[in-house]
Amino acid sequence: MYKEAALNPTNLRDRTADWEADIVSYFRENPSKTEFVGRRDTPSGSSLYLSTPIRVDSETCLSCHGPADKAPPEIVKLYGTANGFGWRLGDVAGAQIVSVPADVALNHAAAAMKTVLIWLAGVFAGLYLIVNAIVFVFISKLVPAPAPQ
């Protein structure tokens, strides 16, 4: 899942959920941070997420998200004047968040571990057979065969 979550979005479907608002607050409190990685529990299971801040770092952002009376009329007509305006230069307006079910990552890790263990078991079994064959050959040469009676 991908979402551009904002505290004051133009489109209300982009409004932050509680956990997303915590991420935006983290970026506001730590302006030098460029990403945040975490894990959260959801009703469908655990989820891993990676987020980066949406910073108002250009005057071009403010041409649409500055004061509502200075925004393009098409934007105001489409979204109204209540949301997505009043941003200030240098603020963190939101976060880009990519979420992946943790089961996907855990299943890939388990499959990789199983493959490695199978290969290691095969290598050790092969080495065991080779070492036993070498020992058998050397011991049979060192110990003379019993004389026939």
Side-chain angles (χ1 to χ4, degrees), residues 103-141:
D103 291 344
V104 172
L106 294 175
N107 290 342
H108 282 290
M113 179 65 86
K114 183 178 179 181
T115 301
V116 168
L117 290 176
I118 289 171
W119 276 99
L120 283 175
V123 167
F124 283 123
L127 286 173
Y128 177 78
L129 293 174
I130 291 170
V131 167
N132 276 324
I134 291 171
V135 167
F136 177 77
V137 168
F138 281 122
I139 288 181
S140 63
K141 286 185 178 181

Side-chain angles (χ1 to χ4, degrees), residues 61-78 80 85:
C61 297
L62 298 179
S63 64
C64 293
H65 295 286
D69 58 344
K70 294 185 180 179
E74 303 83 33
I75 300 279
V76 173
K77 182 179 177 185
L78 187 60
F85 302 105

Side-chain angles (χ1 to χ4, degrees), residues 10 13 16 24-25 30 38 58 62-63 76 80 82-83 86 96 100 102 106 109 112 123 132 135 141:
T10 307
R13 71 180 163 88
T16 57
V24 175
S25 295
N30 301 285
S58 170
L62 298 179
S63 64
V76 173
N83 298 303
Q96 295 176 317
V100 178
L106 294 175
V123 167
N132 276 324
V135 167
K141 286 185 178 181

